[in-house]
Amino acid sequence: LDYYHCIKATMFDIGVDAIWSDATEPENFPIYNQLLDNNKYSGNALFSPYSLQATQAIQQGLNADFPHKRPFDLTRSSFAGQSKTGAAIWSGDTTSSWDTLRRQITASLSTQSAGNPYWSEDIGGFFRPSCSYTCWWFHQLLIRWFQFGAFTPIFRVHGTGANT
């Protein structure tokens, strides 16, 4: 719960109700591909459930310290059982293309079918074309993505590059 206590002191104690913890997958993981505990298991075994542990810490801490509040944490990583933590997942930083939109529809259906009700995507893709204000193909893509987004649990436009 040390992770939670750091977030509590800097966020929840000053009135923040929800957080966007973003990347709850470890980056530059020092024990990736390393054998641990006298070669009994790989550090890789800790890599995938890391997101579950991070979101559990937030959920358990909030439930203990603020039992009247509903935990909400937006993260781009997930692991089996994470739906119990109230964490919302988004598919990460995607590109703007018809193929990506097709894959987002599949990801949405798969994630929600697996029991994780809160799923989101970067509507329009995170990485936008430089001509996003003038390209007719991007306008058509964005319209279709908005239509799809209207049926997802969390509707959000988020991106970089152009003035998103």
Side-chain angles (χ1 to χ4, degrees):
L1 287 177
D2 288 341
Y3 172 69
Y4 166 74
H5 290 298
C6 178
I7 292 173
K8 179 181 181 288
T10 59
M11 304 271 254
F12 298 129
D13 284 348
I14 63 170
V16 173
D17 286 328
I19 64 167
W20 183 349
S21 59
D22 199 353
T24 51
E25 72 273 2
E27 294 182 11
N28 302 317
F29 200 49
I31 57 173
Y32 193 69
N33 290 328
Q34 302 293 316
L35 292 175
L36 305 173
D37 199 16
N38 287 333
N39 297 330
K40 290 181 184 171
Y41 64 95
S42 167
N44 300 2
L46 303 176
F47 188 83
S48 292
Y50 187 89
S51 179
L52 173 63
Q53 294 169 350
T55 56
Q56 275 180 335
I58 292 169
Q59 185 243 1
Q60 290 170 358
L62 278 174
N63 285 345
D65 294 339
F66 304 96
H68 61 284
K69 290 190 176 183
R70 179 179 171 189
F72 184 84
D73 177 12
L74 180 61
T75 178
R76 72 173 181 217
S77 306
S78 185
F79 191 71
Q82 194 161 316
S83 59
K84 295 185 291 187
T85 69
I89 305 161
W90 97 95
S91 58
D93 300 339
T94 60
T95 58
S96 297
S97 72
W98 289 99
D99 185 56
T100 300
L101 173 57
R102 179 187 61 79
R103 291 172 186 232
Q104 295 300 284
I105 294 168
T106 303
S108 173
L109 293 171
S110 296
T111 301
Q112 293 175 56
S113 296
N116 216 325
Y118 305 115
W119 185 85
S120 179
E121 79 280 13
D122 294 338
I123 292 175
F126 181 77
F127 298 104
R128 308 281 174 94
S130 60
C131 65
S132 60
Y133 292 105
T134 57
C135 290
W136 67 269
W137 67 266
F138 181 72
H139 297 169
Q140 294 302 308
L141 174 65
L142 195 57
I143 288 168
R144 294 292 177 249
W145 216 315
F146 265 69
Q147 290 170 336
F148 165 62
F151 295 98
T152 59
I154 301 170
F155 184 98
R156 50 186 282 282
V157 178
H158 174 238
T160 188
N163 297 322
T164 305

